[in-house]
Amino acid sequence: MGLRPRTTLLFFFRLCPIFIIMGISWSAFADDKIQSASWELSADRLTHDQDQGKFEAEGNVVLKELGKTHPNGIELNADKIDYFIHTQHVEAVGNLRLKERYDELTAAEAKIDLEKQTGLFSNATLFRYENNLHLSGDLLEKTGKHT
């Protein structure tokens, strides 16, 4: 099986209305990486659904907080991520791994609000470094930025 090289596309949400008004088709961009004011999304395959206002990313998906590098920022890896632009919501499925500072959460799937930093994680395991805390459950809920 051959590997397809990853490419780069920078996308700034502030420019999004300009692209829509100008009628530029998203399919004109060959690269598989987008960037918003605070998040960067990369994947083997990236498509845009303008009607739903979302990006669909599949294969080696990485969503990371810009301006911060691990271990200080948030990084989410999954097989598939739907990133809803206007609401800053993410739906992730498959081999999900969320890292924030030294903490790590793995799950089968998740629904996350990036702005509020809340979410629901199914079939999840959490490791909190500071307390050496290990949790697992059918459903874990993150209720705030520091929870």
Side-chain angles (χ1 to χ4, degrees):
M1 175 165 72
L3 295 177
R4 186 171 72 111
R6 294 178 78 129
T7 51
T8 302
L9 165 69
L10 297 180
F11 173 76
F12 296 97
F13 281 119
R14 293 185 178 134
L15 298 178
C16 183
I18 295 170
F19 287 129
I20 294 168
I21 291 169
M22 293 172 58
I24 295 175
S25 168
W26 289 106
S27 60
F29 297 106
D31 299 333
D32 295 326
K33 186 174 182 181
I34 62 164
Q35 189 173 14
S36 73
S38 58
W39 297 93
E40 178 181 274
L41 177 64
S42 62
D44 292 336
R45 184 173 155 262
L46 187 62
T47 57
H48 178 249
D49 184 332
Q50 191 169 352
D51 293 335
Q52 293 187 13
K54 75 175 178 177
F55 282 92
E56 298 172 354
E58 291 187 62
N60 299 305
V61 183
V62 179
L63 178 66
K64 62 182 168 180
E65 196 172 14
L66 290 178
K68 298 181 180 179
T69 57
H70 184 74
N72 297 321
I74 296 170
E75 181 174 309
L76 175 64
N77 302 80
D79 293 335
K80 182 179 187 298
I81 290 179
D82 289 341
Y83 176 40
F84 294 86
I85 302 162
H86 305 295
T87 61
Q88 292 293 293
H89 282 90
V90 169
E91 294 178 3
V93 178
N95 297 309
L96 185 139
R97 183 175 169 196
L98 177 69
K99 294 177 86 175
E100 181 178 9
R101 300 186 57 78
Y102 299 104
D103 301 334
E104 184 172 317
L105 183 140
T106 58
E109 59 185 81
K111 292 185 179 187
I112 303 167
D113 183 324
L114 296 173
E115 190 172 320
K116 294 179 184 174
Q117 294 189 11
T118 59
L120 293 172
F121 302 87
S122 67
N123 299 320
T125 301
L126 172 67
F127 170 68
R128 299 268 332 225
Y129 175 80
E130 185 176 357
N131 308 61
N132 193 26
L133 176 67
H134 298 260
L135 295 172
S136 62
D138 293 336
L139 184 65
L140 296 181
E141 182 174 5
K142 185 174 184 333
T143 58
K145 184 174 182 176
H146 301 290
T147 62

